Amino acid sequence: MEGVLVLAGTPIGQAGDAPPRLAAELAGADVVAAEDTRRLKRLCADLDVTLAGRVVSYFEGNEQARTPVLLEALLAGDRVVLVTDAGMPSVSDPGYRLVAAAVEHDVRVTAVPGPSAVLTALAVSGLPVDRFCFEGFLPRKAGERGRRLAALAAEERTMVFFEAPHRTEAALEAMAEALGDDRRAAVCRELTKTHEEVRRGPLAELVAWAADGVRGEVTIVVEGASGGPAVDSDPGSLRTAVADLEASGSTRKEAIAEVARRAGLPKREVYDVVHR
């Protein structure tokens, strides 16, 4: 038998959001590698799952040492299911090292798609979602954090960040300084949980809000930089702007998407004007 590594998404809040395949994969695994074995136990209780395989811990502190052990199990033909505390393994969570090792040794890697704080926050933010980038956690040190954000000042895609609640105010202050007080953003707190809260507004406004303290899991979504001048919504201006972008090397599809963003219109509306 050939071993298989299964990256299993877990709920970010409510157990009822668990993907249907998760229970079956946990029950049928030869090995379950968990970021926190106590959370795994609670999750199995919520899903009414009895684990038949062995359980090992796999977290940031032992990830490097434990990867060769799990790789050995995979090469021996075991089905190894990897779960983290919430969301998808390897996305700002343990998993990348094991995936890389498995791929290097031609071990099959698959996934049980599940909830994602990144996509959930992006979807409810009210900010553009057609193009985005995930930046994970910002550096803890102020200087390094400032340099990272300065490098993102011209990023045109919507940006998604994870942040610890006690560092949220400092992160928002650094964002306002590097990206501008009026840059639109959304702070998404405790997504899908009982006390879910989404605060939207300019960064300066969110800094003031965070000064009272922030609790829970935090995901921050920030609007990208304006890639060019605003475009009027009349048909002539839209056609001219699309033509100019095409002349500079953009494809028709890219040009329509960019003009739609600058004009604040749906892409379909710009498409209809251009092709009318």
Side-chain angles (χ1 to χ4, degrees):
M1 293 180 61
E2 294 184 354
V4 179
L5 173 60
V6 182
L7 308 177
T10 55
I12 60 176
Q14 302 181 36
D17 292 336
R21 275 181 52 209
L22 179 58
E25 287 290 355
L26 289 171
D30 298 303
V31 181
V32 178
E35 184 177 9
D36 186 327
T37 56
R38 293 167 299 181
R39 290 201 181 193
L40 172 64
K41 184 177 180 180
R42 291 197 296 271
L43 177 63
C44 288
D46 288 336
L47 300 179
D48 194 23
V49 169
T50 299
L51 298 177
R54 62 190 177 96
V55 175
V56 299
S57 63
Y58 190 73
F59 59 96
E60 185 178 0
N62 73 357
E63 186 177 3
Q64 186 168 355
R66 189 57 57 85
T67 293
V69 177
L70 293 174
L71 177 62
E72 185 177 348
L74 288 165
L75 294 174
D78 284 348
R79 191 174 187 88
V80 176
V81 175
L82 175 61
V83 294
T84 53
D85 290 349
M88 284 300 298
S90 80
V91 180
S92 282
D93 273 332
Y96 169 74
R97 285 189 175 92
L98 184 56
V99 172
V103 170
E104 183 179 354
H105 288 80
D106 294 322
V107 173
R108 182 185 169 210
V109 179
T110 186
V112 177
S116 165
V118 176
L119 296 181
T120 303
L122 184 69
V124 302
S125 69
L127 297 172
V129 298
D130 54 332
R131 298 175 65 232
F132 70 94
C133 59
F134 174 55
E135 291 293 326
F137 285 92
L138 289 169
R140 297 184 180 186
K141 294 183 178 179
E144 294 177 7
R145 183 169 56 227
R147 287 190 290 274
R148 173 76 63 80
L149 288 168
L152 293 170
E155 174 59 65
E156 296 179 17
R157 295 171 294 180
T158 299
M159 296 167 279
V160 184
F161 303 85
F162 284 162
E163 193 50 88
H166 63 280
R167 291 197 298 269
T168 298
E169 181 185 5
L172 291 169
E173 287 179 339
M175 289 175 181
E177 181 177 349
L179 309 178
D181 286 344
D182 59 348
R183 184 77 69 93
R184 292 189 301 161
V187 178
C188 306
R189 187 181 70 83
E190 293 288 87
L191 285 169
T192 77
K193 300 178 184 177
T194 302
H195 300 291
E196 175 180 280
E197 181 181 17
V198 180
R199 299 288 300 213
R200 305 174 181 88
L203 282 169
E205 182 179 306
L206 294 174
V207 170
W209 165 78
D212 292 332
V214 178
R215 290 185 177 184
E217 301 289 334
V218 174
T219 306
I220 302 173
V221 186
V222 183
E223 181 182 38
S226 175
V231 176
D232 291 335
S233 59
D234 63 277
S237 296
L238 295 175
R239 292 192 192 97
T240 299
V242 169
D244 289 344
L245 287 172
E246 285 187 280
S248 66
S250 296
T251 65
R252 172 67 60 86
K253 182 178 180 180
E254 291 170 341
I256 288 174
E258 174 62 15
V259 170
R261 188 185 67 79
R262 293 188 196 176
L265 296 172
K267 287 185 287 187
R268 184 70 198 183
E269 189 170 331
V270 178
Y271 178 92
D272 289 341
V273 169
V274 171
H275 291 87
R276 188 176 300 160

